[in-house]
Amino acid sequence: MNGIVNLYKNKVLAGERLDKQQALELAECDLDSICQAANEIRQFFCQNQFDLCTIINGKSGRCSENCKYCAQAACHKTKIESHALLSPEVILEDAKKLESQGIRRYSIVTSGRNLTEAEVEQMCECIEKIVNETSLHVCGSFGLLDKSAFIKLKQAGLSRVHNNLETSRRYFPEVCTTHTWEDKIATIQMAKEAGLEVCSGGIMGIGETMEDRIDMALEIRNLGVHSVPVNMLNAIPGTPYEKEPPLTEDEMRRIVAVYRFLLPDAFIRLAGGRGLMADKGRSCMESGANAAISGDMLTTAGISIETDYELLGELGYEVVS
């Protein structure tokens, strides 16, 4: 099996792309061998650069969509705080605080299928304030917007749009039925047409197979996405997944390592659920991951920025701006 890992590692280092069958074969190999090779691929293509970002829950709860993993869906009986879209002043204050802690990338996340026209205008005002008064790169996760909305947001200073595929085309209907996988693909394509970068990944541990995970990674590669969040399900009471056991650190290491083989020059970003790992994601950062969301998640606690900077320093990473 080590021979297969080395063979595929050398193919990737030579600029070749692995196909689905090769990725499935790789995923069955010895874990430590895959992870070591993935780390070598990461160092070759990305050196020791690490992309750290934070998020703010800009609009919380009462979401019309029925994504089974989400605490903010109105159809789920969760105990989360709901609030309307935060004002530009409140978001700017939070952005400045995080900038002072060393953060360089800041993302505003809103619940709901999409923003209304009025909310898009409010977000444009907010983004302009952040761009003018900080040095932060501003990202946004605003649902299924159209191209005209993305153009307005880019003109305001938005640099990147986040829209997770969540899982494979095959498995998506098991996760959500109020919108489709194709809706997400169309949204990503419109964001790219508007000149925005895209951040897109998925959630692991929601009943998907390794084949589903690989299919999603291949689609992300086809879309030309270079920021790829890898979330581990944090089962929230009141959601359909509330009794799902968390993945192990070894399972997450294997996913991250396979993703590095398929997406050799991407920022593979540890995201939701990282706080469930005893090592706070360290082993994944030694297996190909080179990005993370720091601080709190949308409705759950995360890992402090100070803790992350200490960990990244120990691992020899340099946080990029």
Side-chain angles (χ1 to χ4, degrees):
M1 282 296 199
N2 285 354
I4 292 172
V5 174
N6 286 329
L7 172 65
Y8 291 160
K9 178 189 74 174
N10 290 334
K11 283 181 177 291
V12 173
L13 294 177
E16 296 183 38
R17 287 185 165 191
L18 299 190
D19 61 25
K20 178 177 176 177
Q21 190 55 46
Q22 290 169 326
L24 286 168
E25 189 176 7
L26 176 72
E28 296 295 323
C29 292
D30 173 71
L31 177 60
D32 288 338
S33 298
I34 304 171
C35 293
Q36 181 179 338
N39 203 38
E40 291 176 37
I41 292 170
R42 187 269 306 165
Q43 289 176 324
F44 181 85
F45 285 98
C46 308
Q47 292 77 53
N48 287 327
Q49 294 184 332
F50 199 96
D51 189 38
L52 202 64
C53 70
T54 58
I55 60 177
I56 182 172
N57 193 352
K59 178 184 177 185
S60 180
R62 306 191 194 98
C63 182
S64 62
E65 308 306 284
N66 66 356
C67 307
K68 288 183 179 178
Y69 54 82
C70 187
Q72 300 194 66
C75 60
H76 300 157
K77 299 184 184 302
T78 59
K79 298 178 180 180
I80 65 159
E81 180 183 349
S82 296
H83 61 74
L85 192 62
L86 298 177
S87 70
E89 291 73 22
V90 169
I91 294 176
L92 176 62
E93 181 182 1
D94 182 70
K96 287 182 174 179
K97 179 185 72 174
L98 290 166
E99 181 188 31
S100 71
Q101 296 176 43
I103 289 300
R104 294 293 173 261
R105 186 176 294 281
Y106 182 79
S107 184
I108 306 164
V109 183
T110 58
S111 66
R113 184 180 179 89
N114 51 35
L115 298 179
T116 65
E117 287 186 22
E119 288 172 333
V120 169
E121 295 300 328
Q122 186 173 332
M123 276 297 95
C124 286
E125 179 187 349
C126 178
I127 292 162
E128 286 175 351
K129 286 180 179 292
I130 296 172
V131 170
N132 290 333
E133 298 186 37
T134 76
S135 61
L136 292 167
H137 297 274
V138 186
C139 308
S141 182
F142 303 134
L144 305 174
L145 296 179
D146 60 24
K147 186 176 177 179
S148 63
F150 285 132
I151 290 173
K152 289 179 182 178
L153 291 163
K154 179 174 172 54
Q155 289 172 342
L158 192 72
S159 64
R160 180 181 290 171
V161 165
H162 169 262
N163 194 308
N164 273 346
L165 290 182
E166 308 304 3
T167 189
S168 68
R169 182 195 300 264
R170 180 198 73 85
Y171 194 63
F172 189 89
E174 300 297 322
V175 180
C176 177
T177 59
T178 49
H179 59 268
T180 67
W181 194 85
E182 288 76 15
D183 290 334
K184 286 183 168 287
I185 293 290
T187 301
I188 289 170
Q189 290 172 335
M190 284 187 285
K192 290 174 70 70
E193 289 169 5
L196 289 158
E197 298 176 13
V198 172
C199 175
S200 184
I203 300 181
M204 312 301 165
I206 55 176
E208 81 289 348
T209 65
M210 180 58 78
E211 183 175 1
D212 289 316
R213 297 163 184 165
I214 288 169
D215 282 342
M216 186 183 75
L218 293 174
E219 187 60 44
I220 287 168
R221 188 173 75 182
N222 290 340
L223 289 165
V225 171
H226 292 285
S227 174
V228 185
V230 178
N231 297 272
M232 181 173 78
L233 178 68
N234 188 347
I236 305 297
T239 67
Y241 290 143
E242 64 181 352
K243 295 183 180 179
E244 288 292 324
L247 297 180
T248 66
E249 290 177 8
D250 280 354
E251 286 173 311
M252 287 298 291
R253 286 174 64 205
R254 188 177 297 276
I255 293 166
V256 165
V258 171
Y259 270 42
R260 177 55 64 192
F261 273 81
L262 293 173
L263 303 160
D265 61 350
F267 282 108
I268 297 177
R269 189 179 306 277
L270 300 177
R274 179 163 66 101
L276 298 175
M277 302 181 204
D279 68 357
K280 309 307 181 189
R282 182 186 191 114
S283 58
C284 289
M285 295 174 189
E286 296 175 309
S287 303
N290 63 338
I293 299 177
S294 192
D296 289 341
M297 300 295 112
L298 294 176
T299 61
T300 57
I303 299 166
S304 74
I305 295 167
E306 181 182 13
T307 298
D308 276 338
Y309 262 98
E310 182 178 346
L311 173 58
L312 295 175
E314 291 175 3
L315 294 174
Y317 278 110
E318 177 187 355
V319 178
V320 297
S321 62

